[in-house]
Amino acid sequence: MADFRDFEEYQIPVRGGDLLRWAAAEPGAPTAVLVHGITANALAWAAVAEAVDRRVNLLALDLRGRAYSRDIAAPWGLDADVDDVIAVLDHAGLDRAVLVGHSLGAFIVCALAARHPDRVESLVAVDGGARLPLVSGIDDPDELLEFTVGPAIRKLHMTFADGEAYLDFHREHPSFIGHWSPQLVAYLGRDTLWLPDGKVISSCIEDAIRADGRQLITDDFVSEAINTATCPVTLLYAERGILNQPHGFYDHDILTAAGIDRARVTATLISDTNHYTIIGPGVGADTVAAELIRHAEHKQRGRANNTAAPPEVAA
């Protein structure tokens, strides 16, 4: 099994910011690009990278306004995020790629596929991408964002005594109880910003987070992108919610109301996972990795068939 710490890190010299690369064992292996959730960073994919076990090249970026891409200037919003993922593809020399997104990242990769179908081979959307149901009595996008994402938004204006206090805040999160891991500690460490007085805050810039959240909630194009993307799409969704509540973001009825065509989008429930553990160690990361590998290797086979030498013709 690969170790999630075995990655290369570099800044791409264009919009798009900081990038992690988990290299495949074979030089000619296919590549997938991974896009994290709303207050996350590239190390959210650590457990998935381990489960992929070097069968696919993985490129995972920090979205602007987060972690090591914190200092990238505005504009904020999903339109800028889409452009940044395109910049990653360009920098990597990828005409087309398999894209994988979690939560907000799923909406980003679906929007990219709808806007730039020539750049996307296929999509894996993880607990996101399909229109979320409305919450009765909440019309304000910022209020709805806080209701939906909960502690991930509240921590953006909190200051913690030190790095350990920041970890303690997350140890009490309902979705992480019983699921604490080295991958989670590394992911949270990447999000920890140390202040001159020794205290810490989240690396996330609140304006960037809220701009992404508002567009996700109010932009019909973003909400419908999964239904207009022309490439193969897999949607993997968690059994439980963002606070480990019994009901997750999606079920059969919610996906039907969101307009998901089951003949075109393969939608699969990942049992015994919540919104976070669906990409964490165990059944979540293992399932996401298997689907990612399936998409990437399908692309590889298609490319091999298309570039195979023509048969010789007898003289």
Side-chain angles (χ1 to χ4, degrees):
M1 173 71 73
D3 190 313
F4 76 89
R5 289 160 290 210
D6 185 21
F7 58 78
E8 303 167 270
E9 182 157 9
Y10 53 94
Q11 292 277 333
I12 64 174
V14 287
R15 290 200 330 179
D18 205 81
L19 191 66
L20 302 186
R21 175 175 179 260
W22 284 280
E26 298 296 330
T31 297
V33 177
L34 313 179
V35 185
H36 61 71
I38 191 165
T39 61
N41 59 65
L43 274 179
W45 298 105
V48 172
E50 287 192 327
V52 167
D53 201 22
R54 303 185 68 198
R55 291 179 61 180
V56 177
N57 281 303
L58 301 179
L59 299 178
L61 74 159
D62 290 337
L63 291 171
R64 60 176 53 208
R66 288 88 160 170
Y68 292 3
S69 295
R70 170 185 171 85
D71 293 333
I72 298 178
W76 313 120
L78 271 75
D79 295 333
D81 296 331
V82 166
D83 289 345
D84 289 343
V85 179
I86 290 287
V88 170
L89 298 179
D90 291 344
H91 179 70
L94 297 170
D95 292 331
R96 299 166 64 86
V98 174
L99 301 184
V100 186
H102 172 239
S103 193
L104 172 83
F107 287 93
I108 292 170
V109 298
C110 289
L112 192 157
R115 286 203 172 105
H116 305 280
D118 57 316
R119 304 303 303 271
V120 182
E121 191 73 30
S122 62
L123 294 177
V124 181
V126 184
D127 219 34
R131 182 186 291 274
L132 299 172
L134 297 176
V135 178
S136 177
I138 302 180
D139 298 320
D140 179 74
D142 284 310
E143 186 179 353
L144 182 57
L145 184 63
E146 295 198 28
F147 178 87
T148 305
V149 185
I153 291 293
R154 290 196 293 275
K155 75 177 184 182
L156 299 183
H157 40 81
M158 296 174 66
T159 301
F160 300 87
D162 53 29
E164 195 63 27
Y166 190 52
L167 292 179
D168 286 343
F169 172 79
H170 290 89
R171 285 188 179 99
E172 297 175 359
H173 193 294
S175 285
F176 297 149
I177 294 173
H179 298 285
W180 202 251
S181 67
Q183 296 90 339
L184 180 55
V185 172
Y187 153 70
L188 293 170
R190 191 175 180 86
D191 180 48
T192 302
L193 182 66
W194 294 83
L195 302 176
D197 61 2
K199 295 180 180 179
V200 305
I201 59 174
S202 168
S203 70
C204 296
I205 295 177
E206 186 168 357
D207 286 348
I209 303 307
R210 290 193 178 277
D212 280 347
R214 289 188 201 105
Q215 188 171 357
L216 186 158
I217 291 166
T218 62
D219 190 329
D220 288 337
F221 177 87
V222 171
S223 295
E224 292 298 323
I226 194 171
N227 297 323
T228 57
T230 56
C231 64
V233 180
T234 294
L235 170 60
L236 305 175
Y237 60 100
E239 180 179 17
R240 299 194 297 276
I242 201 162
L243 296 177
N244 205 42
Q245 63 267 47
H247 197 285
F249 280 159
Y250 301 118
D251 60 21
H252 179 84
D253 291 340
I254 291 172
L255 292 177
T256 299
I260 299 298
D261 179 0
R262 298 302 187 98
R264 191 182 62 82
V265 176
T266 303
T268 303
L269 169 69
I270 310 302
S271 299
D272 198 28
T273 60
N274 61 48
H275 181 70
Y276 292 104
T277 62
I278 196 171
I279 57 170
V283 64
D286 290 347
T287 305
V288 172
E291 191 63 24
L292 182 165
I293 291 167
R294 186 181 74 82
H295 278 250
E297 291 185 343
H298 181 269
K299 177 194 175 200
Q300 187 83 337
R301 288 192 298 272
R303 185 171 65 185
N305 291 337
N306 289 336
T307 59
E312 293 184 359
V313 179

